[in-house]
Structures are given as structure tokens and as C-alpha cells.
Amino acid sequence: MTLKIFYFLIALFSVSVVFGLFDNSYSFGFNKDDVKLANMKALNVKAYELNATNIDAVYKADEVVRYDEHDEVFGFDGFFQNDNLHRLSSDFAIIKDKNVTMKQNAIYQNSDKNLTYSSNELIWGEGFLRSNVPFTITQNGDRISGASGSYDINNKKIKAKNVKGVFNR
């Protein structure tokens, strides 16, 4: 009788081990490739872009978080100068490669031309400014709004889709 109870317990244990191996009730879909850890975090950042003779740009941020493939910037504000003074600002920005994608209250200002380009998303690269979402451009009381558009900073040309404008002449 003791031997039968022992075999029954071994069989019960073997069945529970088999079910335990195939049951994934403790798995919650965790994939280690989905985890992105920050390499660095900095607060109250002020960065300068220099050449041999002067300061080309000043960038300020409330917080910067650096990842392997991009940087996330909170409270972004940047000034740069080529032929005149330009200002970029947004609540949140992503810097990847040589492009800055500004989101949430993104604004570009050109002080020489009295031009303001605002949108919920602006993508700034070398010599261009682009918006894939609705935008508004104001200059000297004139106002243009559109579904999407781009502004060539060097040639000072605007290309836009679904444009509506109010001109004060």
C-alpha cells in the first residue's frame, strides 16, 4: 500500500511538472529589446555652438535625456545666427542625427524678417524648417495657415499645402 501511495505521488508530481513547464502564467510579455535606458540625464542645460571667431548658436533646455540613438529635450530654446538671428523653441524636442523634431508649442522666429512660424510639430534641419501638421506663419501683420509646409531658411521660400491667408495691405 505504501508503494502505491509513493507511485501515485510521483505520478502527480510528474504531471504537475509537465503542466508547469508548458504554463506561462508568470510571463508578462517582457522583451528586453523593448527597454530603452537613458545613458545620461542633465538639468538646466546651456550649450554653445562655436566656430574659430564667434558663437554661432546657443541652446538652452530645462532637461535633456540622452539615449543611444536620440536625445529628448524638455523646455527647448535655441538661438542661432547665420545672416540674421533665428530662434527655435518648444516644450519637447527630439534630436536625432542632424534633425530636431520640436513638438508641443513649436515656434520658429526670424528677427530680421519679423517672421514667426508656429505649429504643434516642426522639424528643423540644415537650412530648412518643415511641418507635417497644421501651421501658422505671421509676418508684419500678415497671417498664413496651412495643412503642412516647409520653409527654406537660406532662400527664404515657403512651400505649403491647403493655404489660407489674411494679408493687411
Side-chain angles (χ1 to χ4, degrees):
M1 183 67 183
T2 307
L3 196 55
K4 287 183 181 181
I5 294 173
F6 177 73
Y7 284 137
F8 177 74
L9 291 175
I10 293 295
L12 188 62
F13 177 72
S14 299
V15 169
S16 64
V17 167
V18 169
F19 281 118
L21 288 174
F22 292 111
D23 183 29
N24 60 356
S25 61
Y26 297 107
S27 174
F28 54 90
F30 178 73
N31 185 358
K32 70 175 184 161
D33 295 331
D34 292 339
V35 176
K36 303 293 183 201
L37 296 175
N39 294 335
M40 180 181 71
K41 180 178 178 178
L43 302 173
N44 299 321
V45 176
K46 192 170 190 179
Y48 296 93
E49 189 175 311
L50 307 169
N51 67 19
T53 58
N54 60 354
I55 298 172
D56 286 336
V58 177
Y59 303 103
K60 298 176 187 176
D62 295 334
E63 179 180 330
V64 177
V65 181
R66 172 157 281 182
Y67 294 92
D68 288 335
E69 62 279 342
H70 71 280
D71 297 338
E72 292 181 359
V73 182
F74 299 89
F76 176 74
D77 200 10
F79 298 90
F80 64 98
Q81 186 168 355
N82 50 17
D83 57 342
N84 52 33
L85 187 63
H86 305 271
R87 179 176 182 250
L88 298 165
S89 66
S90 69
D91 295 340
F92 176 70
I94 296 174
I95 302 171
K96 185 172 184 178
D97 300 327
K98 293 189 176 188
N99 292 335
V100 179
T101 303
M102 298 173 289
K103 298 182 179 191
Q104 303 168 1
N105 300 320
I107 297 172
Y108 163 76
Q109 293 175 321
N110 182 325
S111 63
D112 183 48
K113 301 294 182 190
N114 197 23
L115 177 88
T116 302
Y117 190 126
S118 61
S119 179
N120 279 331
E121 179 181 84
L122 289 175
I123 302 166
W124 174 59
E126 290 187 26
F128 74 89
L129 190 65
R130 184 176 66 239
S131 177
N132 298 323
V133 298
F135 68 91
T136 302
I137 297 175
T138 56
Q139 182 178 28
N140 301 326
D142 299 337
R143 184 172 164 239
I144 299 172
S145 60
S148 64
S150 65
Y151 175 60
D152 187 338
I153 294 171
N154 299 326
N155 297 323
K156 296 166 184 57
K157 292 185 180 179
I158 299 170
K159 294 180 183 177
K161 293 182 181 177
N162 298 336
V163 177
K164 296 176 187 169
V166 177
F167 299 97
N168 299 318
R169 299 282 169 180

